[in-house]
């Protein structure tokens, strides 16, 4: 794992949260993107080498909607950049971690992604992400 690529934060409303984070971080939102496969709308901020990703559910049955219902707004996941997502998935699986996908899927911000089940990571949802070339 190379670095923390981004921190994902689940929010009820990007219309409310984007201006809040622009003030908090003293930085503009540089990108908004819909990820239809995950039923979310995202907004990104850059802080140094790390990004903050706000996630708003676009469907009441989405993973983010269920997260918000259960836990409320807050940190959803930490994403780590990797150079070879398939090799990293194989390594982590052999170390006993439970992968939530058997193959990486397309995520936001031009990335291939895979998530690790939080039961193996002290309750923190971990995302692996690799830039699509």
């Amino acid at each position: 794992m190379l670095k923390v690529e981004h921190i994902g934060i689940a929010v009820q409303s990007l219309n409310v949260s984007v201006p809040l984070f622009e003030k908090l971080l003293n930085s503009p939102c540089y990108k908004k993107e819909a990820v239809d496969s995950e039923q979310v709308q995202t907004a990104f901020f850059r802080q140094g080498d790390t990004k903050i990703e706000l996630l708003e559910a676009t469907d009441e049955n989405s993973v983010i909607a269920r997260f918000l219902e259960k836990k409320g707004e807050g940190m959803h996941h930490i994403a780590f950049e990797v150079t070879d997502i398939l090799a990293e998935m194989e390594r982590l699986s052999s170390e006993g971690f439970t992968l939530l996908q058997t193959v990486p899927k397309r995520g936001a911000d031009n990335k291939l992604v895979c998530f690790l089940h939080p039961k193996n990571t002290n309750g923190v949802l971990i995302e692996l992400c690799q830039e699509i070339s």
Side-chain angles (χ1 to χ4, degrees):
M1 295 196 199
L2 301 174
K3 66 175 184 173
V4 172
E5 206 279 338
H6 69 268
I7 298 167
I9 300 172
V11 300
Q12 292 288 347
S13 167
L14 289 180
N15 288 336
V16 172
S17 297
V18 166
L20 174 100
F21 274 81
E22 286 178 333
K23 289 178 196 173
L24 174 70
L25 301 173
N26 196 28
S27 177
C29 170
Y30 74 88
K31 179 180 187 177
K32 289 184 180 178
E33 179 180 354
V35 183
D36 295 333
S37 63
E38 297 299 309
Q39 301 170 310
V40 296
Q41 179 74 26
T42 65
F44 285 92
F45 296 85
R46 213 179 281 285
Q47 285 303 108
D49 290 336
T50 303
K51 293 181 265 183
I52 306 293
E53 176 189 36
L54 303 182
L55 303 126
E56 174 189 76
T58 58
D59 185 280
E60 63 187 29
N61 296 314
S62 71
V63 170
I64 293 299
R66 292 193 307 269
F67 177 90
L68 287 165
E69 186 176 303
K70 184 177 179 182
K71 297 186 177 188
E73 293 182 301
M75 193 177 94
H76 181 259
H77 67 273
I78 299 175
F80 292 94
E81 182 179 346
V82 298
T83 53
D84 184 341
I85 196 166
L86 294 173
E88 197 63 15
M89 289 169 68
E90 185 176 318
R91 181 187 77 80
L92 291 167
S93 182
S94 72
E95 292 285 349
F97 293 93
T98 302
L99 305 177
L100 295 179
Q101 290 81 37
T102 56
V103 295
K105 59 185 177 177
R106 183 176 285 275
D109 206 26
N110 197 40
K111 303 280 192 272
L112 287 176
V113 302
C114 175
F115 288 88
L116 303 180
H117 198 292
K119 72 180 180 185
N120 300 130
T121 56
N122 290 343
V124 178
L125 182 63
I126 302 293
E127 178 184 9
L128 307 175
C129 58
Q130 176 186 327
E131 185 84 26
I132 298 171
S133 43

